[in-house]
Amino acid sequence: MNHILTGKQLADRKLMEELFKTAQEFENRDKKGEVLDVFKGKIVATLFFEPSTRTRLSFEAAVLKLGGQVLSTENAAGASTAIKGETIEDIARIVSGYADMIVIRHPEAGSVERAASTSQSPVINAGDGTHEHPTQALLDVYTMQKELGGLDGKTVVFIGDHRNGRTLHSMLPMLVLFKVKIILVSPEELRLPDEYKEMLTGANVPFEEVVELESVLGEADVLYVARIMKERFSSPEEYERLKDSYLTNKDTLSKMKSTAVVMAALPRVGEIDPNIDSDPRAAYFREAKNGLYVRMALLVYALQK
Ligand code: NCD
């Protein structure tokens, strides 16, 4: 069965090219107002045990645009039997009897993989704790390619919470397939875990870790801004101390290349000044829209196998 659980699993240039081509086709057809029937008669369940706006709604819109139907729990942690103590394994086994595919977000690392172990239908990981968020990672790489015309030779600067940033964890295995340079900007406490750094080293991808953003801004082709992930902190004091570490504003953009783009999975909670939204380099709203088409492509891919 074609579960989508990790970024590593999608990290294949041929597969990515195919998915990107399909996403672009879906966008073109959607813009022409075509109604599709690829998912006619299919039901997709979305089980979200953590809050979500873009991920859940873009998955659900993707299913509807493909002609399928959705079974949705927007607050699975409070509204499903999880509150009574039912395991994710049991929930997935049951729901997979009702749905042809299940999209799951859950606060525990590894939980979506556990759900997949009992599910009779393909399972898509929409974020498992601080671990992975492969569909966001794929749509981000798609956006980078689309915005820059290609990734080889480019420098991607990641700024924010790399300790807890599940999108980054899923994206690195995809990015190492390109000739990129990676710069990781974060407070010391929020550095990328060693296992991911080892992967970069193993793939011979040049990377740097810095605390100050200023000196690397001129190099960036992509400035990828992540929020400091409040819900992952066991110490509220540590969060308060680190939450305002960086701000991307007009001054930041004035030090960047005219051809660079600013990206973010969103939500933003103070780290991106809305005054830059009108700058053509602010790509985050285009990125969120791309999510719809990349998720349509991923749904079709997961159903096919
Ligand atoms: C990300 C997530 O939930 O991990 N957002 C998203 O899926 N659009 C990043 C975040 O929450 O900051």
Side-chain angles (χ1 to χ4, degrees):
M1 222 176 327
N2 219 17
H3 304 299
I4 299 173
L5 302 173
T6 66
K8 228 178 248 162
Q9 204 191 318
L10 299 172
D12 174 298
R13 271 185 85 151
K14 194 161 163 275
L15 172 63
M16 287 163 68
E17 284 315 318
E18 276 167 25
L19 290 166
F20 293 169
K21 202 169 137 236
T22 309
Q24 186 59 60
E25 274 167 23
F26 280 140
E27 178 174 349
N28 300 343
R29 294 173 74 177
D30 187 46
K31 292 207 164 129
K32 279 192 235 147
E34 259 186 71
V35 179
L36 305 172
D37 60 3
V38 195
F39 264 54
K40 197 167 171 215
K42 300 290 176 200
I43 295 176
V44 176
T46 55
L47 297 180
F48 278 64
F49 296 84
E50 271 191 340
S52 168
T53 302
R54 279 151 293 275
T55 306
R56 185 173 64 87
L57 294 180
S58 66
F59 259 117
E60 294 185 358
V63 173
L64 297 173
K65 282 188 181 282
L66 289 168
Q69 286 178 294
V70 173
L71 280 181
S72 178
T73 58
E74 82 181 275
N75 173 18
S80 76
T81 45
I83 204 163
K84 300 183 189 169
E86 189 169 33
T87 63
I88 187 79
E89 286 89 342
D90 280 0
I91 293 175
R93 184 184 292 259
I94 302 297
V95 174
S96 68
Y98 310 146
D100 301 283
M101 201 175 294
I102 314 180
V103 181
I104 305 179
R105 170 171 287 187
H106 197 282
E108 259 171 64
S111 55
V112 181
E113 203 170 336
R114 296 205 323 267
S117 74
T118 57
S119 174
Q120 310 299 302
S121 305
V123 169
I124 299 181
N125 182 359
D128 63 326
T130 59
H131 186 220
E132 292 235 21
H133 191 358
T135 68
Q136 180 70 44
L138 189 74
L139 80 88
D140 288 339
V141 176
Y142 175 73
T143 302
M144 288 176 195
Q145 288 227 34
K146 206 169 149 124
E147 294 283 333
L148 302 173
L151 266 170
D152 288 324
K154 305 293 186 202
T155 297
V156 185
V157 175
F158 288 96
I159 156 173
D161 183 352
H162 307 326
R163 180 177 77 188
N164 300 308
R166 57 189 174 191
T167 301
L168 175 63
H169 302 165
S170 288
M171 205 191 312
L172 289 174
M174 301 178 191
L175 284 181
V176 301
L177 304 175
F178 299 87
K179 287 192 183 63
V180 289
K181 177 178 175 188
I182 291 174
I183 303 179
L184 301 159
V185 184
S186 76
E188 305 270 356
E189 295 90 332
L190 301 180
R191 285 200 165 159
L192 186 69
D194 285 343
E195 57 177 298
Y196 299 103
K197 281 188 251 182
E198 281 155 23
M199 186 184 68
L200 293 175
T201 310
N204 282 321
V205 169
F207 76 98
E208 283 169 34
E209 288 182 293
V210 297
V211 176
E212 286 300 316
L213 176 63
E214 187 100 6
S215 62
V216 299
L217 276 176
E219 267 188 82
D221 295 295
V222 177
L223 181 67
Y224 189 104
V225 185
R227 106 196 131 84
I228 309 295
M229 312 275 167
K230 182 179 184 182
E231 68 278 25
R232 311 295 178 206
F233 282 74
S234 50
S235 151
E237 296 76 32
E238 188 187 36
Y239 173 71
E240 284 304 316
R241 185 163 47 80
L242 299 175
K243 73 177 179 18
D244 297 321
S245 297
Y246 304 100
L247 172 66
T248 297
N249 59 15
K250 284 197 168 163
D251 183 48
T252 318
L253 261 69
S254 72
K255 296 176 183 123
M256 291 176 63
K257 297 179 191 172
S258 61
T259 51
V261 287
V262 179
M263 290 178 53
L266 303 174
R268 59 176 158 192
V269 289
E271 64 289 321
I272 301 176
D273 183 347
N275 284 323
I276 68 164
D277 291 355
S278 54
D279 190 301
R281 290 172 290 179
Y284 29 89
F285 295 122
R286 298 192 289 276
E287 177 182 352
K289 183 74 196 233
N290 289 339
L292 172 64
Y293 302 115
V294 170
R295 289 188 168 116
M296 286 173 80
L298 282 168
L299 285 164
V300 171
Y301 166 73
L303 192 71
Q304 268 168 0
K305 294 277 172 91

